[in-house]
Amino acid sequence: MYVCFEALKSGWRSGLRPFIGLDGTFLKGKYKGILLVALGQDSMKHFYPLAWAVVDRETSRTWKWFIELLRSSLGLADGEGLTLISDMQKHITDGV
């Protein structure tokens, strides 16, 4: 399940830094899985949610799927002048 609200896309396009942070974390409790997230940052250095997805496993395939949907949602092209930051987890770098 992938979520990226129009208000978040518009807010990012209208003035946030060309920066996206990517990370994944385990969901524990009643609902299991992996939460993949993409965050932006505003001029006050506050984090701004862009999109998130819940997947069954954190793999190169699921990161590639998430990043392709994010690129499409934000209208990003190759070489857009965008900075990506992550924990350099292998599956993320394979997806980019």
Side-chain angles (χ1 to χ4, degrees):
M1 177 182 75
Y2 173 82
V3 178
C4 183
F5 295 118
E6 185 62 38
L8 298 175
K9 293 187 278 190
S10 298
W12 186 78
R13 284 189 209 115
S14 69
L16 268 66
R17 296 174 177 182
F19 165 90
I20 295 178
L22 299 170
D23 202 2
T25 189
F26 294 100
L27 293 174
K28 299 178 182 180
K30 184 176 179 180
Y31 301 102
K32 308 291 186 206
I34 305 292
L35 177 67
L36 306 179
V37 297
L39 300 169
Q41 190 177 47
D42 65 15
S43 61
M44 303 284 292
K45 297 187 180 180
H46 296 130
F47 290 112
Y48 184 90
L50 296 174
W52 56 92
V54 177
V55 295
D56 58 343
R57 297 169 58 192
E58 189 173 9
T59 65
S60 298
R61 181 184 57 80
T62 56
W63 271 110
K64 183 174 181 169
W65 168 79
F66 179 72
I67 290 168
E68 286 299 319
L69 287 172
L70 182 66
R71 286 181 65 193
S72 176
S73 295
L74 298 178
L76 300 174
D78 289 340
E80 182 84 16
L82 182 71
T83 300
L84 296 176
I85 188 168
S86 74
D87 60 2
M88 293 302 292
Q89 204 257 354
K90 181 183 184 318
H91 298 303
I92 295 175
T93 55
D94 289 346
V96 176

